[in-house]
Amino acid sequence: MEVVQLSLAEDQRISTSTVTVGLSAVLTCAIQGTLRPPIIWKRNGVILNFLDLEDINDFGDDGSLYITKVTTIHMGNYSCHAYGYEDLYQTHVLQVNVPPVILVYPETQAQEPGVSASLHCHADGIPNPKLVWLKNGMDLQLSSSTQLSLI
């Protein structure tokens, strides 16, 4: 009987990947070894290899996990280990970015001089977008005007 020797570098025990929604992701298991058994992938304690999933459909010759068309439901932690050797596992943290979308656009307003006006804008995305206001192409946060407040 031959002895299987497996290893996983300490700095690879946790791996973080960031993918934009709609793209594909490949998670590669860093467990190395002679006579390494097949790689098993789990998420939330469920083995993925034997599920018939449309979006996770190919585990590759090297044991990599392939996710096609990533969505926010794919965000989370995945783990891989060699079959029969669950004590040595790698955790993959998959983060999914969603490009910003403006949900509330500022509206055109006509005001008398000296009357206050409020412009509203709201955007959504992952990570949370940071809004920047410009006036004639100039960043308003750099303005020293006492008549302007950005909330």
Side-chain angles (χ1 to χ4, degrees), residues 46-118:
V46 176
I47 294 176
L48 301 175
N49 299 61
F50 311 120
L51 297 179
D52 187 18
L53 302 172
E54 274 186 30
D55 49 350
I56 302 175
N57 58 6
D58 189 351
F59 293 86
D61 293 336
D62 63 351
S64 295
L65 178 72
Y66 292 80
I67 303 174
T68 55
K69 287 200 177 173
V70 169
T71 69
T72 53
I73 64 166
H74 295 111
M75 274 196 293
N77 295 353
Y78 297 78
S79 70
C80 65
H81 66 271
Y83 180 76
Y85 297 84
E86 289 195 31
D87 289 346
L88 183 66
Y89 63 92
Q90 181 185 29
T91 300
H92 283 263
V93 181
L94 183 63
Q95 298 172 341
V96 178
N97 283 354
V98 178
V101 175
I102 295 180
L103 302 177
V104 178
Y105 282 89
E107 294 178 0
T108 302
Q109 295 182 36
Q111 297 286 12
E112 296 291 325
V115 177
S116 65
S118 294

Side-chain angles (χ1 to χ4, degrees), residues 100-104 121-125 128-131:
V101 175
I102 295 180
L103 302 177
V104 178
C121 183
H122 178 69
D124 207 2
N128 260 343
K130 177 183 180 290
L131 290 174

Side-chain angles (χ1 to χ4, degrees), residues 8-68:
L8 175 63
E10 191 65 39
D11 63 349
Q12 292 187 319
R13 290 191 182 267
I14 297 179
S15 173
T16 302
S17 304
T18 303
V19 180
T20 300
V21 72
L23 299 181
S24 60
V26 180
L27 305 181
T28 302
C29 195
I31 294 174
Q32 303 291 328
T34 54
L35 303 174
R36 185 187 77 178
I39 293 296
I40 303 297
W41 286 91
K42 284 185 178 180
R43 183 170 186 205
N44 301 327
V46 176
I47 294 176
L48 301 175
N49 299 61
F50 311 120
L51 297 179
D52 187 18
L53 302 172
E54 274 186 30
D55 49 350
I56 302 175
N57 58 6
D58 189 351
F59 293 86
D61 293 336
D62 63 351
S64 295
L65 178 72
Y66 292 80
I67 303 174
T68 55

